[in-house]
Amino acid sequence: MRIFRTKHGMTLSEILLAVIIMAAAFLPVIGVLSSSMNATEKDENTIRGISLCQEKINAIIQFPYDKVPTGNYSDHEFVSENTDGTTRVKFGTEIIGGVEYISKMNVASETVTFKVPTCDFEKKGQNENEPDKWDFSDEVYTVDNMVKRYNVTVYWHDSGKSGGNMKSYTLSTLKADIRK
């Protein structure tokens, strides 16, 4: 009678081969996780830059029209006293979350042109009760120093270090002096 021995368990070489195969399968997964973490950090820096730009433009348009003169501002602080307290807006360098953000503002006066259709009822044939027969002419009005354009730009490096690509975000708005 012959006795057969069956093999139970695994050899050391089989275990090592299985570990090597699993390690090779997980290396790409680890690489993807690392890349996505770097992309998330860049996205956080971008969100902070956009928020900072929005915060500054929202604050500066709260100032009275004559308190923000035309010009370029890269290292300047605006201060306004009002019934709600003191409002401060600083343009220049700020460190947020370990990243250096540089904010700048340009304020320029805009010339505004209005075209107003008018009707002269004193002219022959103009009847106030027949609007479909009215003859309109365009009066053009040009006004200087009534509207200012505010351009706020925030700059930062996408990696948070000076070696990364410089990124920027700009917001623009108009403000009118309607007291004129």
Side-chain angles (χ1 to χ4, degrees), residues 63-135:
F63 281 68
Y65 183 85
D66 57 342
K67 296 292 183 188
V68 183
T70 59
N72 293 310
Y73 303 97
S74 58
D75 190 20
H76 187 81
E77 183 174 32
F78 291 91
V79 180
S80 176
E81 302 286 337
N82 53 38
T83 56
D84 298 333
T86 303
T87 304
R88 295 179 183 279
V89 182
K90 182 182 182 303
F91 292 94
T93 303
E94 298 177 57
I95 306 292
I96 303 171
V99 178
E100 181 180 70
Y101 293 91
I102 302 165
S103 58
K104 297 180 179 185
M105 181 176 68
N106 172 271
V107 180
S109 181
E110 297 283 328
T111 299
V112 179
T113 303
F114 298 97
K115 188 187 281 189
V116 181
T118 58
C119 183
D120 183 7
F121 293 110
E122 302 298 322
K123 284 174 74 175
K124 186 176 180 183
Q126 299 285 339
N127 184 344
E128 292 180 28
N129 298 322
E130 297 176 353
D132 55 332
K133 295 180 181 175
W134 289 353
D135 184 25

